[in-house]
Amino acid sequence: MERDNKAILITGASSEVGVNLIKRIYRDYNTMYLHYGHMNDSLSAVIDEISEATNVICLEADFNIPKEVEHMVNDILSGDILPNNIVHISAPPVHNKQFHKEEWEAFDMGWDISVRSIFFILKSLIPTMSKSKYGRIVFMLTSNTIGNPAKFQSAYVTYKYALLGLMKSLSVEYIDKGITVNAVSPDMMETKFLKDVPRLIVEQNAANSPLGRNIRVEEVAPMIEYFLSDNADAVTGQNVGITGGL
């Protein structure tokens, strides 16, 4: 598809993965919708860097507040060009807690930020993709959806599995409309997403990896880029682990 016809929405664009992905792909898009909960220096800098090469539309919304999701979707729908590529990264920081000590609020927050938000986004944008017979959707999941999950992360694992189920279902339903839906599932990455995880657990994960380290952000974005590309026309319903051999 020609660049002028391609527009992308990235949720959680201020994350380390989001910023790295933007740097890799911005030349492929005429319009980039960049969602964030809070602007940070990294996202601000990359917006300044790419704004002369592509049309950047910033969307601030707290996905934990349904009204803000609704307003964001309405802002997108009021635009001249609607996204036909979507990358969903948004998620609350992961934390470690035994299930019997967990609070329902953690499940509820994860559901709103990760699942409810993309439900309303896709519900609004998939009809246009279907009419044009083209769309790319990529979810950021976790290696916890491949094999046995880590202990003490029941809330995180639950809403990521919900997204996995949604991805699988949509991939079957919309492939005949030219829409592919896939997921990337990295093992632990040392980003701000882990701020509530004890450092010892992060270090143990690195020590247990055949690589001898945790996954790097720049090792995840290329797979997302592939799923967005025209080379992936026949690839859908796939959850690709980036696990360093685990």
Side-chain angles (χ1 to χ4, degrees), residues 8-24:
I8 190 168
L9 165 64
I10 302 175
T11 74
S14 61
S15 64
E16 287 96 325
V17 173
V19 169
N20 188 267
L21 178 65
I22 293 165
K23 291 178 180 178
R24 292 185 63 91

Side-chain angles (χ1 to χ4, degrees), residues 1-8 22 24-32 49-56 81-82 84-85 134 230:
M1 176 171 283
E2 294 297 325
R3 180 186 188 273
D4 288 348
N5 295 324
K6 291 176 70 175
I8 190 168
I22 293 165
R24 292 185 63 91
I25 67 173
Y26 74 91
R27 294 180 182 87
D28 296 331
Y29 294 91
N30 184 56
T31 301
M32 302 191 83
E49 179 183 335
I50 71 173
S51 58
E52 291 187 5
T54 188
N55 179 32
V56 176
I81 300 175
L82 298 184
N84 46 27
N85 284 206
Y134 171 78
D230 292 340

